[in-house]
Amino acid sequence: MGGSLPTSLQLCNPVTADNQAAIYRLQTPSNKPGQAWQLRCIQAAHQIVSKGATVSIHWVPGHQDVAGNERADRLAKQAAKKRPSTHITSLAMTGIKIKSMATLKWDKALKSYSIDAIICNPSAYAAQYSWRIGKRLRIPPGTRRETASAFYQLKLGHDTIRPT
């Protein structure tokens, strides 16, 4: 038997998934978490196509006794519990590490500032309140959009107070 398939035989490899986000992600590569798996799936599909077969991906509803889908769910859950099998760091994980390092650096700088401020002035703001590093500016719940917008503009130095 030779290693090649007869040319008259058309191979189709249907792939079913109950995760619409995963199907969409295969169509639109990104640098978000899971990038390594995304690229591996795309590369595998290219290898299949290069051998003369076709690949089609179809969405199926989850937990509806679709053949193979329940087993795939179990295998995916088992795989998620395993430690990573590669030591390659994705762009997404690199970004997370950079943000974490920046947060630690800010925290250290603010603590150093607070100590110096308290020594110079025991009634300084830093003596009364602790710093909270957050991703967003906090405004009271229920604040009108116009008020919040004016607050952000003033806070960021993009607007001046105008008489009404």
Side-chain angles (χ1 to χ4, degrees):
M1 283 241 159
S4 63
L5 295 170
T7 55
S8 62
L9 182 62
Q10 179 68 24
L11 291 178
C12 180
N13 296 290
V15 176
T16 60
D18 63 5
N19 185 329
Q20 291 180 354
I23 295 171
Y24 175 78
R25 181 119 186 238
L26 291 174
Q27 296 170 340
T28 54
S30 69
N31 63 352
K32 294 188 170 112
Q35 174 193 36
W37 290 106
Q38 175 189 36
L39 294 175
R40 286 178 69 182
C41 289
I42 293 170
Q43 184 180 20
H46 284 298
Q47 287 177 353
I48 292 169
V49 170
S50 74
K51 295 181 182 193
T54 59
V55 177
S56 60
I57 300 175
H58 305 277
W59 176 80
V60 294
H63 310 292
Q64 298 295 318
D65 295 326
V66 174
N69 192 47
E70 299 303 320
R71 182 169 184 259
D73 283 345
R74 283 193 306 278
L75 292 172
K77 286 177 186 169
Q78 288 175 4
K81 293 177 184 176
K82 292 183 177 182
R83 294 186 59 77
S85 59
T86 180
H87 53 277
I88 298 171
T89 304
S90 70
L91 289 175
M93 186 52 71
T94 301
I96 290 168
K97 288 180 180 181
I98 289 170
K99 284 181 184 177
S100 176
M101 289 173 23
T103 300
L104 289 173
K105 197 170 185 177
W106 268 108
D107 193 40
K108 184 178 177 183
L110 289 171
K111 283 181 183 175
S112 174
Y113 166 80
S114 294
I115 291 169
D116 292 343
I118 293 168
I119 290 171
C120 292
N121 180 4
S123 62
Y125 180 88
Q128 306 296 319
Y129 304 98
S130 61
W131 293 101
R132 285 185 281 161
I133 299 174
K135 293 181 180 181
R136 296 182 173 191
L137 295 172
R138 294 183 183 153
I139 58 171
T143 303
R144 289 182 30 227
R145 181 181 171 141
E146 297 82 11
T147 305
S149 178
F151 171 76
Y152 284 121
Q153 289 175 4
L154 286 169
K155 184 77 173 165
L156 298 172
H158 292 289
D159 199 10
T160 58
I161 298 176
R162 290 177 240 140
T164 55

